[in-house]
Amino acid sequence: MRNCIIFSFVLLLMACQLSSQNKSNIQAEAEPEVNCSANPDDIAWQTLLTENCNRLSDFGLFESTSNPRGNPRLPGLAFKLATELFTDYAHKYRFIFVPEGGVIYQPLAAFDFPIGSVLVKTFVLPESNQANTANDIIETRLLIRREHGWIGLPYVWNDTKTEAYLVLAGKTIEKQMTVDGVGKVFEYQVPSVADCKTCHLVRINELNKTTPIGLKARHLNRNIMDSGKEKNQLSHWLETGLLQELPDDFSQLASIPVWQDVSRELQDRAKGYLDINCSHCHTPGGKGSESGMYLEYWRTPDLFDHGICKRPGGFNGGDKGLVYDIVPGDAEQSLIPYRMSLLASEGDAKGQMPPLARHVNHVEAIELIRQWIDAMPYQECAESNN
């Protein structure tokens, strides 16, 4: 009897062990291990090339795991755009990491980056659109140049702001902000990996390619402070060996002004704002190319393909029944500022422009575009380009 009991116990133990092993195998299949380690001592270049780590800190990009707004590990470098893409008044902190070699200058397109390059952008929301500071850190996005192209990885910061975690499917976060004295409650949308491709995807030579948006010479050709001295940002990149093949006389390159700088030409400010916020889609091969409206800064502003007296493709004019993207001299009858004022959250998902990354209106920029259109010599669109 005793031997039977012992034998039964052994069988039971073996069954439990087999069950445990099967359970582990199922778990391993559901959550495959990746080559990530928390808080590495240096930038994890190889990990960046191959793994979608769960924690932002697994890549070792910053000296402090809880502060992606400064102190990037070398050779990480902060950079600034002349005019930024608008995202619900978020303050943004941008960094570039290039493992070796340098980025190659391109005249009009985004610079050519070597494999292993990483672009980092952290979003911090202010309390109001009038606030000069922002403390509510929301997300950090990585754009990584891997062997087969760029991939975007979105990371959301936890409640204690000590770590950011990967959200491949994106995430909606309820936020509130005061805009021109009016309290707004809105759902801030962290993009999914697919959403990243929506904005960054361009068709080039019959191939769909993901590409950076702001890393073009015209957006980076501005002065910055370096060690207490003011210098041109492109010149600084050239001196550090980060940038290659820049023209000798790069002072002649286009330089988009800061859109709020009233000392600069109104037209240049407006066109610069449309370039960074719209031209990644409204360009040949972009998602908005079927509209026939192209909004790159270098295009002549008084032409049909820049929106002048052009009928929109796939939009019926909204509640106002507007007919043309731009009616020179009449912003009230122009679709561009109208669609900039529409919100998907208010039932205008098809009409809102840009369609992503905006949940409150950029009221100051809408006014800028209206002023630009009103300042154009009036033109009767019914007599042209129909």
Side-chain angles (χ1 to χ4, degrees):
M1 175 65 70
R2 181 179 177 185
N3 290 338
C4 289
I5 294 174
I6 294 175
F7 182 73
S8 299
F9 177 78
V10 171
L11 287 176
L12 180 62
L13 182 60
M14 290 174 63
C16 291
Q17 288 176 337
L18 287 171
S19 176
S20 177
Q21 288 172 2
N22 289 337
K23 201 171 185 181
S24 298
N25 290 336
I26 292 171
Q27 185 176 7
E29 290 176 5
E31 300 176 10
E33 284 192 21
V34 293
N35 185 25
C36 301
S37 60
N39 309 328
D41 296 330
D42 201 355
I43 297 175
W45 294 110
Q46 187 58 43
T47 304
L48 284 160
L49 278 175
T50 58
E51 310 295 349
N52 299 339
C53 293
N54 185 47
R55 297 174 295 258
L56 178 64
S57 62
D58 290 339
F59 296 120
L61 295 168
F62 296 90
E63 295 290 347
S64 170
T65 58
S66 61
N67 183 19
R69 287 178 275 190
N71 299 315
R73 282 194 170 133
L74 294 176
L77 181 69
F79 69 92
K80 293 181 180 293
L81 305 182
T83 282
E84 298 184 345
L85 192 151
F86 176 75
T87 309
D88 297 335
Y89 291 100
H91 295 207
K92 300 173 184 178
Y93 299 82
R94 295 175 169 84
F95 299 89
I96 179 174
F97 297 81
V98 177
E100 57 184 17
V103 300
I104 308 299
Y105 164 78
Q106 307 275 12
L108 297 176
F111 294 160
D112 186 15
F113 288 79
I115 292 174
S117 298
V118 185
L119 305 178
V120 181
K121 182 164 58 174
T122 292
F123 296 69
V124 187
L125 286 180
E127 294 181 356
S128 79
N129 65 325
Q130 305 297 330
N132 293 322
T133 59
N135 297 311
D136 188 9
I137 180 171
I138 305 297
E139 59 163 321
T140 295
R141 301 179 193 174
L142 304 187
L143 195 61
I144 307 171
R145 174 70 169 90
R146 291 179 173 170
E147 183 178 355
H148 300 293
W150 291 92
I151 182 173
L153 298 180
Y155 288 81
V156 172
W157 286 84
N158 60 13
D159 292 340
T160 58
K161 312 303 179 184
T162 55
E163 183 62 88
Y165 293 90
L166 180 63
V167 287
L168 292 174
K171 186 173 183 179
T172 300
I173 306 173
E174 185 174 291
K175 290 295 175 183
Q176 52 187 328
M177 179 185 296
T178 300
V179 179
D180 283 359
V182 179
K184 303 281 187 180
V185 177
F186 62 97
E187 291 187 336
Y188 181 95
Q189 183 64 50
V190 178
S192 66
V193 173
D195 289 335
C196 293
K197 291 182 179 180
T198 297
C199 289
H200 287 269
L201 202 67
V202 176
R203 192 163 183 80
I204 303 173
N205 297 328
E206 304 302 319
L207 295 174
N208 291 327
K209 295 184 178 181
T210 302
T211 180
I213 292 174
L215 275 295
K216 303 179 178 76
R218 60 185 181 269
H219 295 300
L220 298 166
N221 189 13
R222 55 159 294 172
N223 286 346
I224 58 169
M225 296 302 295
D226 177 52
S227 302
K229 296 181 180 180
E230 188 175 41
K231 63 170 55 178
N232 179 273
Q233 185 167 225
L234 291 180
S235 176
H236 178 56
W237 283 26
L238 192 64
E239 292 170 1
T240 59
L242 178 61
L243 182 58
Q244 300 175 6
E245 301 186 18
L246 188 69
D248 293 336
D249 190 12
F250 66 86
S251 62
Q252 301 302 312
L253 296 178
S255 177
I256 288 179
V258 177
W259 71 269
Q260 302 100 319
D261 185 357
V262 295
S263 69
R264 301 291 296 272
E265 292 290 334
L266 174 62
Q267 176 172 276
D268 292 342
R269 294 162 55 210
K271 281 169 55 62
Y273 182 89
L274 293 174
D275 187 305
I276 189 64
N277 281 277
C278 310
S279 73
H280 48 281
C281 284
H282 286 277
T283 188
K287 187 173 179 62
S289 62
E290 69 279 1
S291 70
M293 180 173 66
Y294 305 136
L295 296 174
E296 301 95 338
Y297 183 73
W298 47 266
R299 289 185 183 274
T300 304
D302 57 352
L303 296 182
F304 176 73
D305 65 359
H306 207 65
I308 301 298
C309 292
K310 191 195 75 60
R311 294 179 182 272
F315 185 67
N316 62 8
D319 293 340
K320 291 187 175 182
L322 303 182
V323 180
Y324 303 103
D325 290 323
I326 295 177
V327 178
D330 194 344
E332 191 64 28
Q333 293 300 313
S334 299
L335 272 165
I336 288 182
Y338 171 69
R339 297 188 71 177
M340 288 173 65
S341 69
L342 299 179
L343 291 171
S345 60
E346 297 177 356
D348 292 305
K350 186 175 181 180
Q352 173 181 311
M353 283 292 164
L356 298 176
R358 183 173 69 80
H359 311 90
V360 298
N361 285 330
H362 196 180
V363 292
E364 302 89 346
I366 295 172
E367 181 58 26
L368 169 72
I369 301 303
R370 291 179 63 86
Q371 290 177 10
W372 170 54
I373 294 174
D374 281 338
M376 294 178 180
Y378 180 75
Q379 178 177 338
E380 179 57 61
C381 287
E383 297 176 358
S384 63
N385 296 326
N386 283 277

